[in-house]
C-alpha cells in the first residue's frame, strides 16, 4: 500500500478543498484526532522469535461472518463526495477484499442499491428526531439483508469542526443528502435525536430482530450498560476525533472496555488505525477487529472500487507481515503478552 500519508496527499490533490476538509477534519482543536494515531504508536511490541511463520493466516469470523482479515469498513457519510459511484463502489471494493461494509445512515445511494452489490454488510443507525423515520430506515435495511445494526451512541449533536461549516459548505445536492429519507416532512427531523438513550437500543433490537452493536463506547460503565440492554458487540470509538474534542484516544479506552465485557461479546475499535502494526496492537489489547474510516475514503477518492479494495488488501498484507515478525502465525496467537508495559514518563 501507499503509506497512509502519501495516500492522503493524493486524495487531497483529487478532492475539492471543502470535501477534503470535511473528511480529514476533527472537532475543536483536533487534539483527539491527533492522539488517536499517536496512541497506537506509543504502544511498543514484544515480538516472539523462532516461531514458524512461513504461512500466516489473518482470517477470522465475527458474529457469523467470515472475514479475510480483522478489518472492517467504518460507516462514513456521503461517499458521492469522494467518487461518482459513491457507496456502490465502496460496497464492491469491500466485497472483493473479503471485508465487511458498515453502511452509514447518511449514505448517498439507496440502501437497496448498495446491498445488491455488497458482500456481508451491517447498517449503522443514527436515531433521528423522527423515530418513525428511523424505524422505516431500519426496516428497509433488514429487508435488504443487513446482518446486524450498529447504533452510534456518541452523536447527540454533530461535533463542531473548524475546518468546515457543516453540510451547507459541501457540494452535495439535497437528493443525495436525503436519498434514504423519503417521507421526510422537515429537514430538522432527520437530525440526530439528542434524547437518544439505552431505550433506543432495546427498541432497535425488538424492531429488527438483528444483533445490535453499539459504537462510541469509551468507558467500562457504558460497556456494562450496553450489555445489560442486550448489545451483541461494542465498538470503541471517538468517531475519528469528530465528536468531543479532548476525548481519550481509542487505544487508551480499549483495555477498560475489553475488561468490562469479560469476553461476553466482541469488542471492536476504530480511530487512527493506519498499519498492520496498529491492527496487531489493537488485537493484542483484546479487540476482535478494527474499522477503517478515512483510509477507505482516500482509497475511494483516488481509485473508486479498486482503490477501496487496494487499501483493504494492503492492510491485510501488512497485518500478515506484522504477525509474522511478531512470531504469531494466526490471530489465536495474538495476546497481551505481545505488548510491553508503558514507558515511564
Ligand atoms: C467523513 C466522515 C464521516 C463519518 N460519518 C459517520 C457516520 O455517518 N456514522 C458513524 O457512525 N460514524 C461516522 N464517522 C466515524 C467513523 O465511523 C469512524 O469512527 C472513524 O472515521 C474512525 O477513525 P479513522 O477515520 O481515523 O479511521 C465518520 C467519519 C468520517 C471521517
Amino acid at each position: 500500500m501507499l503509506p497512509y500519508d502519501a495516500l492522503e496527499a493524493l486524495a487531497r490533490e483529487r478532492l475539492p478543498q471543502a470535501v477534503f476538509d470535511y473528511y480529514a477534519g476533527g472537532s475543536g482543536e483536533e487534539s483527539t484526532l491527533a492522539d488517536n494515531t499517536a496512541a497506537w504508536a506509543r504502544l511498543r511490541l514484544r515480538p516472539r522469535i523462532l516461531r514458524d511463520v512461513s504461512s500466516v493466516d489473518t482470517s477470522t469470523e465475527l458474529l457469523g461472518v467470515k472475514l479475510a482479515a480483522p478489518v472492517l469498513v467504518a460507516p462514513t457519510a456521503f461517499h458521492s463526495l469522494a467518487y461518482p459511484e459513491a457507496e456502490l463502489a465502496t460496497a464492491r471494493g469491500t466485497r472483493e477484499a473479503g471485508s465487511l461494509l458498515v453502511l452509514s445512515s447518511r449514505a448517498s445511494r439507496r440502501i437497496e442499491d448498495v446491498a445488491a452489490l455488497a458482500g456481508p454488510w451491517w447498517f449503522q443507525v443514527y436515531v433521528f428526531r423522527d423515530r418513525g423515520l428511523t424505524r422505516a430506515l431500519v426496516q428497509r435495511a433488514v429487508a435488504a439483508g443487513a446482518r446486524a445494526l450498529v447504533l452510534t451512541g456518541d452523536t447527540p449533536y454533530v461535533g463542531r469542526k473548524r475546518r468546515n461549516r457543516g453540510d451547507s459548505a459541501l457540494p452535495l445536492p439535497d437528493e443525495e443528502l436525503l436519498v434514504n429519507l423519503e417521507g421526510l416532512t422537515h429537514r430538522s427531523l432527520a437530525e440526530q435525536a439528542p434524547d437518544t438513550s439505552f431505550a433506543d437500543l432495546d427498541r432497535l433490537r425488538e424492531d429488527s430482530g438483528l444483533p445490535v452493536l453499539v459504537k462510541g463506547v469509551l468507558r467500562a460503565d457504558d460497556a456494562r450498560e450496553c450489555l445489560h440492554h442486550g448489545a451483541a458487540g461494542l465498538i470503541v470509538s471517538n468517531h475519528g476525533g469528530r465528536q468531543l474534542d479532548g476525548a481519550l484516544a481509542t487505544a487508551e479506552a480499549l483495555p477498560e472496555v475489553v475488561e468490562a465485557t469479560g469476553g461476553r461479546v466482541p469488542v471492536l475499535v476504530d480511530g487512527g488505525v493506519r498499519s498492520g502494526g496498529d491492527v496487531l496492537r489493537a488485537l493484542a489489547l483484546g479487540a476482535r477487529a478494527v474499522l477503517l474510516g478515512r483510509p477507505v475514503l482516500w482509497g475511494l477518492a483516488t481509485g473508486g472500487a479498486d482503490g477501496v479494495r487496494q487499501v483493504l488488501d494492503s492492510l491485510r498484507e501488512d497485518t500478515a507481515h506484522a504477525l509474522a515478525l511478531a512470531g504469531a502465525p494466526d490471530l489465536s496467537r495474538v495476546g497481551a503478552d505481545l505488548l510491553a508495559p508503558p514507558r515511564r514518563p
Side-chain angles (χ1 to χ4, degrees):
M1 145 156 109
L2 279 172
Y4 178 78
D5 292 346
L7 182 66
E8 185 187 86
L10 198 60
R12 180 178 221 147
E13 278 173 27
R14 300 275 171 90
L15 292 170
Q17 182 73 35
V19 173
F20 178 81
D21 285 347
Y22 168 69
Y23 283 163
S27 54
E29 303 298 314
E30 301 191 339
S31 66
T32 297
L33 175 68
D35 204 30
N36 270 348
T37 39
W40 294 118
R42 283 196 293 270
L43 293 171
R44 290 166 311 137
L45 292 157
R46 291 172 69 235
R48 297 190 201 101
I49 60 164
L50 296 174
R51 303 306 200 270
D52 176 357
V53 289
S54 52
S55 118
V56 172
D57 181 8
T58 59
S59 69
T60 188
E61 191 174 323
L62 191 60
L63 297 177
V65 176
K66 288 208 164 66
L67 300 166
V71 178
L72 281 60
V73 172
T76 53
F78 312 136
H79 289 191
S80 66
L81 292 170
Y83 195 76
E85 288 172 51
E87 285 81 4
L88 305 179
T90 316
R92 189 155 63 79
T94 304
R95 186 192 72 216
E96 287 172 0
S99 178
L100 180 149
L101 172 68
V102 186
L103 183 66
S104 169
S105 273
R106 304 247 181 248
S108 43
R109 289 291 176 273
R110 289 178 50 82
I111 295 173
E112 294 78 6
D113 298 341
V114 181
L117 291 173
W121 62 285
W122 296 347
F123 186 67
Q124 178 263 327
V125 179
Y126 280 132
V127 175
F128 299 128
R129 285 175 191 260
D130 179 342
R131 291 217 170 26
L133 201 64
T134 315
R135 186 171 303 140
L137 198 63
V138 165
Q139 276 165 3
R140 280 176 55 198
V142 173
R147 307 261 193 112
L149 301 178
V150 172
L151 170 63
T152 298
D154 60 12
T155 314
Y157 299 96
V158 176
R160 294 193 180 127
K161 300 172 194 77
R162 266 195 310 193
R163 292 199 212 184
N164 213 278
R165 288 176 302 281
D167 293 347
S168 57
L170 294 171
L172 191 67
D174 262 10
E175 309 90 78
E176 295 191 353
L177 192 66
L178 305 172
V179 67
N180 281 307
L181 304 177
E182 61 229 352
L184 184 68
T185 49
H186 192 279
R187 205 165 149 154
S188 69
L189 295 175
E191 289 169 4
Q192 285 89 335
D195 62 349
T196 304
S197 73
F198 287 99
D200 289 290
L201 173 54
D202 297 329
R203 220 167 287 145
L204 279 177
R205 286 176 43 232
E206 285 157 21
D207 287 352
S208 71
L210 291 178
V212 183
L213 297 90
V214 179
K215 176 169 180 276
V217 182
L218 294 171
R219 305 164 46 118
D221 53 357
D222 279 349
R224 282 190 290 269
E225 196 66 13
C226 288
L227 293 194
H228 182 66
H229 287 269
L234 304 178
I235 303 178
V236 173
S237 175
N238 53 35
H239 217 108
R242 295 164 76 85
Q243 287 301 109
L244 180 65
D245 190 39
L248 82 172
T250 47
E252 288 177 359
L254 180 58
E256 83 170 74
V257 174
V258 167
E259 200 193 330
T261 60
R264 277 173 289 170
V265 300
V267 177
L268 280 55
V269 65
D270 71 23
V273 175
R274 302 293 178 254
S275 69
D278 293 344
V279 177
L280 180 61
R281 291 168 166 102
L283 299 182
L285 286 176
R288 286 283 305 282
V290 303
L291 299 90
L292 292 185
R294 294 176 184 88
V296 169
L297 291 170
W298 306 148
L300 181 66
T302 55
D306 289 344
V308 169
R309 182 180 44 74
Q310 279 162 22
V311 164
L312 293 166
D313 281 350
S314 51
L315 188 62
R316 176 179 46 72
E317 283 162 19
D318 203 36
T319 301
H321 185 65
L323 284 167
L325 296 189
D330 62 54
L331 303 189
S332 72
R333 314 297 170 87
V334 179
D337 63 284
L338 287 178
L339 291 169
R343 272 197 197 97
R344 297 231 173 99

